[in-house]
Amino acid sequence: MANLKGRDYIETNDLTRDELDLLLDTTTELKEKFHRGEPTQLLPHQTAFLLFFDKSTRTRNAFEAGMTQLGGHAHFLDADVTQISHGETPADTGKILSSMGHGICIRHDLVLNQGNRYMREMAEASDVPIINMQCDVDHPTQTLADLQTLREHFGTDLAGKKIAVSWAFAPSYAKPLSVPQGLITLMTRYGMNVTLAHPPGYNLVGRTLEAAKANASGSGGSFEIVDDMDAAFEDADIVYPKSWGVYDLMLARQNANTKEEIAENQQECLAMNAKYKDWICDERRMKLAKKSAVYMHCLPADRGSEVTDAVIDGPQSIVFPEAENRLHTAKAIMSCSMRERPF
Ligand SMILES: CC(=O)N[C@@H](CCCN)C(=O)O
Ligand SMILES: NC(=O)OP(=O)(O)O
């Protein structure tokens, strides 16, 4: 029987199907109890540290409210106001925090080759579970909530469903690559037919593409890459259009040391994005998908650029139930990793 006590949750690909299913079943149980108003104090007196290198609305609040509902406390840490900003190492930070609490949750997503490595180094040194609240490789608490939302909508057998994970135009900022990477890696585990679409230059990290291919062949699903948003939407059951940054520029950020260099990198990325303003999810494109298709987005969405108001506020959109599921999955991940099997 699957048991995740003491385990890290850094990439969904680190877990077996049974372990992922345990998290999904626990999510369902916790969600039902939440809506019935029943207590779920599975982690009394426990502390989870929430360490953020980047902004958040959903993730922070899902983990903070979630930990309160589990009977424990979530302690928010802005990396900029800790000694991390003076160079204290992930190993030392992890050792200290794990001597004072029961779990460490981290968001470190903005630069390729940094966030995932940071979490792995901290995990190596710390005695408590490390939970990835978004890194450069994966956003596994988001994609688990997405999978939960799909199971609620379509039922637990998602094999054969077509999901279009497409790049979309955004003028706001160069968004991380981790959501599309996490989606193609996880949805292919569940036998889904995953189509990834993006303009040239918006490729994803190679090892996540390899994982998606391997996962699809292992589950009887499929994985393909196209350069045309319409083709991806054709006959899809699920569309998940969202923006992400230019691969080479996201990689080059590793060498950007000053605020000015990062701002320049951001401007170059937005200038490239502006070439593809027609990559928007609008009502015409939604008609290419199945009539029964659902629209998803991790949020925040750039309204009017990534998606029209008519689509995101329309009958096919499931973005708000999807966002609510961030709470229930966060609780499932914390309770399964920070104690014995709860149910
Ligand atoms: C962290 C960030 O700024 N952007 C995130 C939003 C949260 C994840 N769904 C992104 O679009 O990937
Ligand atoms: N979807 C998501 O992770 O949102 P936040 O960036 O607001 O946490």
Side-chain angles (χ1 to χ4, degrees):
M1 203 189 256
N3 188 348
L4 287 164
K5 182 170 185 236
R7 288 272 301 282
D8 303 317
Y9 185 70
I10 297 180
E11 293 175 47
T12 57
N13 234 29
D14 299 336
L15 276 69
T16 64
R17 262 285 299 255
D18 279 354
E19 290 166 347
L20 291 167
D21 290 344
L22 167 65
L23 292 176
L24 292 163
D25 292 342
T26 307
T27 298
T28 302
E29 189 79 31
L30 285 165
K31 182 171 183 174
E32 285 172 4
K33 286 182 186 296
F34 176 81
H35 285 289
R36 288 197 298 262
E38 293 172 15
T40 51
Q41 302 200 321
L42 300 170
L43 299 174
H45 314 300
Q46 295 208 26
T47 298
F49 294 105
L50 311 183
L51 176 59
F52 281 88
F53 290 77
D54 193 14
K55 299 172 180 52
S56 170
T57 297
R58 278 140 291 269
T59 309
R60 176 179 175 180
N61 290 296
F63 277 81
E64 286 202 20
M67 198 56 184
T68 303
Q69 291 160 24
L70 293 170
H73 175 69
H75 188 100
F76 175 78
L77 290 165
D78 175 347
D80 274 351
V81 297
T82 69
Q83 299 293 10
I84 294 165
S85 61
H86 288 153
E88 191 160 30
T89 66
D92 289 353
T93 309
K95 272 186 210 161
I96 310 297
L97 294 179
S98 66
S99 72
M100 297 182 183
H102 306 86
I104 306 171
C105 313
I106 310 172
R107 169 168 284 189
H108 192 326
D109 59 328
L110 287 178
V111 185
L112 286 180
N113 295 324
Q114 286 188 5
N116 194 267
R117 190 195 302 161
Y118 188 95
M119 292 175 196
R120 301 267 178 208
E121 283 178 31
M122 186 177 278
E124 193 67 32
S126 71
D127 300 326
V128 299
I130 303 296
I131 296 173
N132 174 3
M133 298 192 296
Q134 189 168 19
C135 71
D136 51 319
V137 178
D138 201 354
H139 190 357
T141 66
Q142 175 69 52
T143 57
L144 193 73
D146 296 339
L147 187 54
Q148 174 73 16
T149 310
L150 290 175
R151 283 161 59 110
E152 289 169 0
H153 188 87
F154 291 108
T156 51
D157 184 8
L158 293 166
K161 294 273 182 254
K162 176 178 176 183
I163 177 168
V165 177
S166 175
W167 187 85
F169 168 61
S172 57
Y173 64 104
K175 302 190 185 195
L177 275 49
S178 43
V179 170
Q181 290 173 169
L183 287 169
I184 62 168
T185 310
L186 182 61
M187 300 312 169
T188 47
R189 298 285 290 283
Y190 283 78
M192 297 176 68
N193 297 324
V194 179
T195 299
L196 174 70
H198 60 76
Y202 289 87
N203 44 304
L204 301 177
V205 166
R207 85 167 165 86
T208 69
L209 300 173
E210 291 309 313
K213 264 185 231 158
N215 291 348
S217 66
S219 73
S222 64
F223 176 61
E224 61 162 356
I225 307 177
V226 299
D227 61 4
D228 177 343
M229 196 172 186
D230 283 356
F233 271 47
E234 201 77 51
D235 281 328
D237 297 284
I238 304 126
V239 296
Y240 202 130
K242 85 167 297 289
S243 201
W244 63 85
V246 180
Y247 181 84
D248 285 344
L249 291 170
M250 298 303 269
L251 205 55
R253 278 200 194 177
Q254 290 173 98
N255 306 319
N257 293 316
T258 62
K259 280 207 168 100
E260 290 72 28
E261 283 170 345
I262 293 170
E264 195 182 318
N265 176 289
Q266 178 83 252
Q267 285 317 312
E268 280 179 63
C269 201
L270 295 183
M272 172 106 160
N273 284 6
K275 290 189 192 166
Y276 302 104
K277 285 188 178 159
D278 55 329
W279 285 62
I280 182 169
C281 179
D282 57 12
E283 286 169 295
R284 179 193 73 77
R285 280 212 164 94
M286 284 305 290
K287 289 203 177 79
L288 300 171
K290 288 198 177 129
K291 263 207 171 79
S292 56
V294 291
Y295 165 83
M296 300 182 84
H297 194 294
C298 57
L299 304 181
D302 282 30
R303 286 171 175 259
S305 301
E306 290 181 280
V307 60
T308 60
D309 286 339
V311 171
I312 194 169
D313 295 327
Q316 287 169 284
S317 172
I318 55 171
V319 295
F320 294 109
E322 180 185 4
E324 182 196 318
N325 279 334
R326 298 298 310 283
L327 170 70
H328 308 300
T329 46
K331 285 157 72 175
I333 294 159
M334 287 191 287
S335 54
C336 288
S337 61
M338 291 164 66
R339 55 163 284 155
E340 290 297 339
R341 252 183 99 109
F343 301 113

